[in-house]
Amino acid sequence: PPETPRMAELTPILIIDDDQELCDLLADWLATDGFALSACHDGPSGLQAARSDHFAVIILDVMLPGMNGLEILRELRQSCRTPLLMLSARGEPVDRILGLELGADDYLAKPCDPRELVARLRALLRRSQPSQDSAGEVLTHAGLRLDSGSLMAWLDDEPLQLTQSEALILRALMTRPAQVVDRQTLSREALGKPLGAYDRSLDMHISNLRRKLGPYPDGRPRIQSIRGRGYLLGS
């Protein structure tokens, strides 16, 4: 087996899941890939740990004692920007959609292949790191301002509470103002993956972003859908 990295080099990950055996198995598996997994097994303690802002990524189950995962997600997204992946045996489309609506960055149904989980975690981490080309760059467009490095955003000098995925979508659009950006490009740049035939995650993130940005004063949407082509940040 591969050598386990030194603890100082491990990336801290939080999992909130009441399946203790699964958490133990994932902790051993992820340690060989450079992750230090901390586990909470009920909703209230998980929410408290997640709010500590000590973790690079949060893995969150839906069904939890004391407080379900969707409630935790709703509370967290009022102030917490940590990338979050929903992991649940409830893999129905309605659960995935609701999780994405509430601000989850990605979703995996249990049982999942640990190798796929590692790939998703690495993708979330890559997306959270500013590129050398964009670090320190501040984008502006029609009252919007986005720091490309920190992914902090403002509208008319009022801070916007965007998730990582929403901020990355906005960055992809703001670097191409008044241009149509196709859905595959947005998915690769903002979500770190190609868009599957039935994958609605991009559309859910766009919907959340539109709601947070609101329309222009004349009622026009800031982000326009161009049927069959993609999305456009209007002016």
Side-chain angles (χ1 to χ4, degrees):
E3 181 181 350
T4 301
R6 295 191 302 272
M7 286 300 295
E9 299 174 349
L10 298 180
T11 301
I13 304 291
L14 172 67
I15 185 169
I16 308 172
D17 194 309
D18 61 346
D19 187 336
Q20 298 189 32
E21 182 178 358
L22 172 67
C23 292
D24 291 342
L25 288 171
L26 287 178
D28 290 340
W29 181 281
L30 292 175
T32 65
D33 282 279
F35 299 102
L37 191 70
S38 300
C40 293
H41 304 301
D42 64 80
S45 66
L47 177 59
Q48 182 178 3
R51 281 175 166 163
S52 70
D53 200 28
H54 293 158
F55 300 99
V57 180
I58 298 168
I59 304 170
L60 177 62
D61 191 15
V62 172
M63 302 300 293
L64 291 165
M67 185 180 193
N68 73 45
L70 295 176
E71 292 175 304
I72 292 173
L73 180 56
R74 185 180 291 109
E75 290 287 328
L76 280 178
R77 282 312 186 221
Q78 294 180 19
S79 58
C80 175
R81 292 166 49 88
T82 304
L84 187 145
L85 181 146
M86 297 294 293
L87 181 65
S88 174
R90 295 178 61 183
E92 296 86 353
V94 66
D95 294 307
R96 293 196 298 271
I97 291 170
L98 187 53
L100 293 169
E101 282 182 340
L102 292 174
D105 293 288
D106 204 351
Y107 201 112
L108 271 180
K110 292 192 289 189
C112 70
D113 185 332
R115 291 170 295 185
E116 182 176 5
L117 177 60
V118 169
R120 298 289 187 96
L121 292 174
R122 293 202 182 284
L124 287 172
L125 289 169
R126 283 196 303 270
R127 290 157 51 197
S128 67
Q129 299 300 317
S131 67
Q132 292 184 347
D133 293 336
S134 64
E137 182 182 4
V138 176
L139 302 171
T140 59
H141 179 80
L144 281 168
R145 183 160 49 97
L146 175 73
D147 185 311
S148 292
S150 68
L151 296 180
M152 300 296 292
W154 298 262
L155 176 60
D156 296 330
D157 293 326
E158 290 293 324
L160 292 166
Q161 294 294 329
L162 303 182
T163 67
Q164 174 184 274
S165 296
E166 293 159 5
L168 288 169
I169 290 170
L170 183 59
R171 185 174 74 182
L173 292 170
M174 289 183 72
T175 56
R176 305 171 178 88
Q179 298 179 36
V180 178
V181 186
D182 68 83
R183 298 174 78 249
Q184 281 291 352
T185 296
L186 280 175
S187 184
R188 287 192 175 93
E189 289 191 9
L191 306 185
K193 61 181 181 180
L195 199 62
Y198 302 103
D199 189 346
R200 307 302 295 174
S201 56
L202 176 65
D203 302 304
M204 296 307 307
H205 291 309
I206 290 277
S207 177
N208 290 341
L209 182 56
R210 278 175 166 156
R211 175 174 48 80
K212 293 179 181 181
L213 296 181
Y216 285 112
D218 62 4
R220 291 178 298 117
R222 292 180 185 272
I223 300 176
Q224 302 172 28
S225 298
I226 310 299
R227 187 173 178 83
R229 296 180 61 194
Y231 294 97
L232 176 149
L233 183 63
S235 58

